Amino acid sequence: MTQKLIDPFQRAITYLRLSVTDRCDFRCVYCMSENMTFLPKKELLSLEELDRLCSSFIGLGVEKLRITGGEPLVRRGIMTFFDGMSRHLETGALKELTLTTNGSQLERFADDLFAAGVRRVNISLDTLNEAKFAEVTRWGRLPQVLRGVEAALKAGLRVKINAVALKEFNEDELFDLTEWCAKLDMDLTFIEVMPMGDIGNENRIGQYWALDDLRARLAEQYTLTDLAERTGGPARYMRLEETGQKIGLITPLTHNFCESCNRVRVTCTGEIYTCLGQEGKSDLRAPLRASESNQLLEEAIHAAIGLKPKGHDFDYSRQELGGQMSRHMSHTGG
Ligand code: SAM
Ligand code: SF4
């Protein structure tokens, strides 16, 4: 038996988040600057290398695989990769294959994703106002994303909407977003904005809106029941009794969730980050390319997990961006 991945703090690593590209067809103000420099294509792992990498992780006990980016669905040939991963779903080694997407390409790919075994998808959408959507994503267009949401639902995918909570931007849409999701039977998760990357000085949107405040406002209109359910990550869930829908709050800055962390992130160049809030990383591309067998790669994965830190350092409490990360969210995929 291949040895499973257990970190120094006895946490089993069963969840891999893989970024398949650093490119994107949007330029969300909290994520990217207007003029991003992207990696030369040769730096990226090929589709075959991504397959080998994921297959190795699955062999070592990873049961959940989330594909992210950049925008994963703009990576050329990405459906070949999804189709390849479905063999691990068929054997039962992989329990869930999923992705986080801005939704722009879902109209095209939703049916193919379902056919590859994807059953749930997270779609990022911060506002239902067309002008505000164009402002926050810079290059995105709301109708295209709404068609993507519709296509996903029609294909049979369960949809969760992820909205970044932005003060003075989508505060006034809290109930509209909630009700829209309830109507379409979609779950909804709010994410606290995180200090990631240099996104330029022009950024006026992107102010921190504490989710405790958001929760208090929801409680004025709805009956909220906290759910015990945890996913090993920074999300807490509650049920809105009036609509029956599940609302998630991702608060990596104000709540400590590190004890139960079950995940690692790998970038599109094969760097493994074992903690979202720490700079520590190891290279998996060199061992991947060094030999056709996966032995060196698996040793490198074990070595990296052996260095997984206990927790992260984000801290807003001192009125400065304590623990600010220099890398962009699109680099590690959030
Ligand atoms: N392009 C895809 C998308 O937007 O869903 C996948 C990658 S994106 C980096 C993953 C998630 O990170 C999105 O939900 C996005 O809203 C979120 N995100 C990006 N920058 C963030 C930041 N600074 N703080 C909090 N969430 C952020
Ligand atoms: Fe692209 Fe997603 Fe970043 Fe927006 S949040 S710029 S859609 S990677």
Side-chain angles (χ1 to χ4, degrees), residues 11-84:
R11 296 171 294 194
I13 306 306
T14 55
Y15 180 11
L16 170 64
R17 298 169 72 106
L18 173 69
S19 170
V20 293
T21 178
D22 61 335
R23 288 162 200 256
C24 187
D25 51 347
F26 292 2
R27 291 289 180 279
C28 301
V29 293
Y30 44 72
C31 180
M32 292 193 180
S33 64
E34 182 107 54
N35 305 306
M36 293 290 288
T37 313
F38 293 111
L39 293 162
K41 295 231 166 73
K42 65 174 186 334
E43 297 277 315
L44 263 58
L45 299 184
S46 67
L47 294 173
E48 294 74 20
E49 287 169 337
L50 290 172
D51 188 308
R52 267 182 69 198
L53 182 90
C54 291
S55 301
S56 292
F57 269 101
I58 293 163
L60 296 172
V62 160
E63 296 179 342
K64 175 171 175 182
L65 179 59
R66 176 175 298 280
I67 305 306
T68 173
E71 174 46 43
L73 298 180
V74 302
R75 170 89 195 240
R76 186 165 303 160
I78 194 62
M79 282 317 304
T80 310
F81 169 80
F82 276 102
D83 288 342

Side-chain angles (χ1 to χ4, degrees), residues 275-308:
C275 177
L276 179 61
Q278 299 267 6
E279 300 280 0
K281 62 173 177 183
S282 318
D283 174 41
L284 299 179
R285 189 177 59 187
L288 184 67
R289 290 186 175 168
S291 107
E292 279 179 17
S293 108
N294 289 339
Q295 195 187 332
L296 290 175
L297 171 63
E298 290 178 8
E299 283 168 14
I301 294 172
H302 269 293
I305 304 283
L307 296 173
K308 183 169 163 69

Side-chain angles (χ1 to χ4, degrees), residues 30-31 68-71 100-102 124 164 191-194 329 333:
Y30 44 72
C31 180
T68 173
E71 174 46 43
T100 302
T101 171
N102 65 23
S124 304
V164 177
I191 312 175
E192 250 175 19
V193 72
M194 288 185 262
M329 197 70 141

